[in-house]
Each structure stands twice: as C-alpha cells, then as structure tokens.
Amino acid sequence: GKWLSQTDAGLSLVRAGHNSCRLLLGLHATGRLPQSAERHAQLAALFGALMHAERTGRLCKEVVTIPATQQALVAGDYFNAANKALTTVFLGLDHYAWLRAIKVLQGEPLPIILKALKVITIAWFVDLVREVVSFVKWNSTAKKDDEAVAKERRDRMWNIVRATAQFVQGLHLSQLRPHSDVVCGSLGVYTAVFAALSFYPKGKGA
C-alpha cells in the first residue's frame, strides 16, 4: 500500500532486515544455525549493506527532531524534549560516521558509531521512563474500565514493552552492557516492525 512509500516506514523495514541478519549471524556464532563459510560471508555482506542503507536513510532527520524538541519544551513535556534532543545529537554523530564510512572524511567510523549508539541508548532510556511515568499518571485518573479505557491501557502497555525492548537492544549495540546478538537482533526486528506498522494507514484505502 501507500504506507510503503513513506520514508520512515521504509527505514523501519530496512532496520528489520538488518536486525534479522544480526539474529541469524548470532545464531551462527553460537552454533545453533550452522552455515557454510560462503553463506556466512553473504549474510555478513547483506548485514553491512543494510546498515549502510539505514544510516544513509537517516540523513536530514534533524529537520524533524529539532522542531519536535522545541515543541516538547513549549508543551512542558521535558522527557520528550530530552529524548528528541539526544536523538538530534545521535543523528549528528551518525552522519559524521557515515561521512567517514564513505571516505569523505578520514578516520575509522566505528569509534564514532559507538559514541552515537551510547547517546541513542540514553535517549531510549528517557523514552522508557516517559512511557512508564505517562502510564502511571494516566492509570491513576482513568475512569470506569470500559472498552475504550481497556484498549488505551493495552496500547500504553505495549508502548512500554516497545520502549523496554528498544533500551535493552541499545545496551548491547552501544556495548554499555553487551549481552547477545540473538537477543539484540530479535528485539530489533520486533521494534522495527512495531514502528513500521505504526505508519500503516488505518481504515479503507490502505
């Protein structure tokens, strides 16, 4: 449908692809998915290509995060403002790493990538705290438990699950608390598909 033409939805699907590769590579590394050396090399090459495509797709995303930071500050939503500000810093570092990767700038991209991932992991932690605080405040004032309230409660709880998965993934990617490529890849696929589906048009004509 038309939703696939949206940049953010497409970027989310690319992210789902590269995390699928991370998951498969992790399974291979642990011996749970034996592969030939040739197949492993092909998967690693695909993983790298998708990572590069995702990084390229993030160019100029500051045009969204900078105004969003300002709007959140005006609205008094300081958790959201902090998340958007940190995301803007992440994007700047990510673009710098991208320029190194394509040899426009000298130097290895990996050290910059790790710094960027630490920043976005902090941003994801702020997002998680925001979702939890928002849920607690909403739940304390929610009226009778009718169908609409029950649906909103489910939606808010799923947002907490999504934010938790994102943060746990970030801990591994940033090397702040490494755990497993299998877990990280699985969570990455989940959060990427979750994000892509959020762009799916509701109602007819999708």
Side-chain angles (χ1 to χ4, degrees), residues 12 15 17 21 26 32-33 37 44 48 87 99 107 110 119 127 129 135 141-142 154 163 172 197 202-203:
S12 295
R15 191 161 68 250
C21 291
R32 284 177 278 180
L33 185 67
T87 301
L99 290 171
L110 185 58
V119 172
D127 183 46
V129 173
F135 175 78
T141 58
R154 286 195 301 272
H172 180 70
L197 290 177
K202 296 175 176 59

Side-chain angles (χ1 to χ4, degrees), residues 144-162:
K144 61 180 181 180
D145 198 10
D146 59 16
E147 186 176 344
V149 171
K151 181 182 182 304
E152 184 168 356
R153 181 175 286 108
R154 286 195 301 272
D155 289 345
R156 286 174 175 271
M157 290 182 72
W158 275 117
N159 280 336
I160 292 174
V161 171
R162 183 267 311 161

Side-chain angles (χ1 to χ4, degrees), residues 11 51-60 94-95 98 102:
L11 193 59
M51 285 278 286
H52 182 72
E54 186 182 349
R55 189 161 286 116
T56 303
R58 285 196 290 261
L59 293 174
C60 299
D94 193 60
H95 301 340
W98 180 80
I102 63 174

Side-chain angles (χ1 to χ4, degrees), residues 6 12 37 51 69 76 83 92 107 110 125 146 169 180 187 192:
Q6 299 185 47
S12 295
M51 285 278 286
T69 303
N83 171 266
L110 185 58
F125 176 71
D146 59 16
Q169 182 191 3
S180 161
L187 294 175

Side-chain angles (χ1 to χ4, degrees), residues 60-68 91:
C60 299
K61 289 294 181 182
E62 295 89 342
V63 299
V64 175
T65 59
I66 292 174
L91 289 168

Side-chain angles (χ1 to χ4, degrees), residues 156-178:
R156 286 174 175 271
M157 290 182 72
W158 275 117
N159 280 336
I160 292 174
V161 171
R162 183 267 311 161
T164 301
Q166 199 167 242
F167 174 59
V168 173
Q169 182 191 3
L171 289 175
H172 180 70
L173 292 174
S174 64
Q175 298 297 293
L176 286 170
R177 187 63 64 88

